[in-house]
Amino acid sequence: GINAEYMGGTTVKRTSSLATFAAGCFWSVELVYQRTPGVLSTRVGYIAGKTPNPRYEDVCEGTTGHAEAVEVTFDPSEVSYDNLLDIFWNKHDPTTLNRQGNDFGTQYRSAIFYHSEAQKRLAEASKDRVQPRFRRPIVTEIVLATEFYPAEAVSYTHLRAHETGRNLVCRLLLEKK
């Protein structure tokens, strides 16, 4: 898309693209992309599940099939998709299936959700390029992006305020079942 931005008395048109990544808990993934020059915005949410408009609690229970993900809007003239992929590979362990650290379940899977055939090719090439850095095979899914559901505002605000307890919230919800 094209965004118009007013800068110093001049309107500047910026081209933006989308990238979507799942690399475990979305809070820390979002933070690293927010700090990346050329990233215009980020939002956390859920993708690639079977339930429309999933709630955080349902995703935590593992019943919806969604992955926790970060949708990144970026200016490709300032940061390349390849650079965003490098950040992705460096941010998490892509060799653990459905797990990142103490977080486990399909909602924590490693995945790249591409928005174009060009992104798919770049993602596949980057996976091949970084595989030698890891002892185990990379299990990251590279799949077409489906509908992205932003995390609901109430949970988003609550969880941002209680980030350290966030994973405990998911585990407690799972134990209630």
Side-chain angles (χ1 to χ4, degrees):
I2 296 180
N3 300 325
E5 196 172 297
Y6 188 76
M7 296 176 65
T10 308
T11 300
V12 178
K13 287 186 181 177
R14 299 179 97 167
T15 301
S16 64
S17 295
L18 279 182
T20 307
F21 303 104
C25 172
F26 50 35
W27 302 119
S28 62
V29 179
E30 180 187 40
L31 186 59
V32 73
Y33 285 112
Q34 284 176 335
R35 294 176 175 171
T36 302
V39 168
L40 305 174
S41 65
T42 61
R43 56 185 194 155
V44 297
Y46 320 109
I47 191 169
K50 61 184 186 285
T51 306
N53 301 305
R55 294 176 320 122
Y56 175 77
E57 292 80 7
D58 297 329
V59 174
C60 281
E61 289 176 4
T63 59
T64 69
H66 289 89
E68 285 196 13
V70 177
E71 187 180 75
V72 178
T73 303
F74 66 102
D75 181 341
S77 70
E78 292 183 36
V79 62
S80 70
Y81 186 68
D82 258 336
N83 290 136
L84 298 177
L85 289 165
D86 288 341
I87 292 167
F88 171 81
W89 297 119
N90 290 321
K91 177 62 189 136
H92 76 300
D93 180 354
T95 69
T96 56
L97 185 62
N98 300 328
R99 179 180 202 114
Q100 289 300 312
N102 293 327
D103 298 331
F104 58 90
T106 57
Q107 69 269 31
Y108 299 115
R109 65 189 177 269
S110 174
I112 298 168
F113 298 96
Y114 61 86
H115 294 267
S116 68
E117 285 301 311
Q119 282 188 352
K120 179 182 179 182
R121 286 190 300 277
L122 289 168
E124 289 170 343
S126 73
K127 179 180 174 181
D128 293 341
R129 188 174 60 246
V130 301
Q131 177 59 71
R133 295 190 344 216
F134 299 96
R135 295 176 132 177
R136 295 177 303 207
I138 290 174
V139 296
T140 301
E141 302 171 359
I142 299 174
V143 293
L144 181 64
T146 57
E147 187 165 359
F148 183 88
Y149 296 98
E152 54 275 38
V154 172
S155 292
Y156 189 92
T157 303
H158 171 76
L159 295 171
R160 287 297 281 199
H162 302 93
E163 282 186 36
T164 56
R166 187 208 159 284
N167 298 331
L168 177 62
V169 171
C170 266
R171 281 196 288 279
L172 289 174
L173 284 168
L174 285 170
E175 289 171 8
K176 276 182 18 184
K177 280 196 106 177

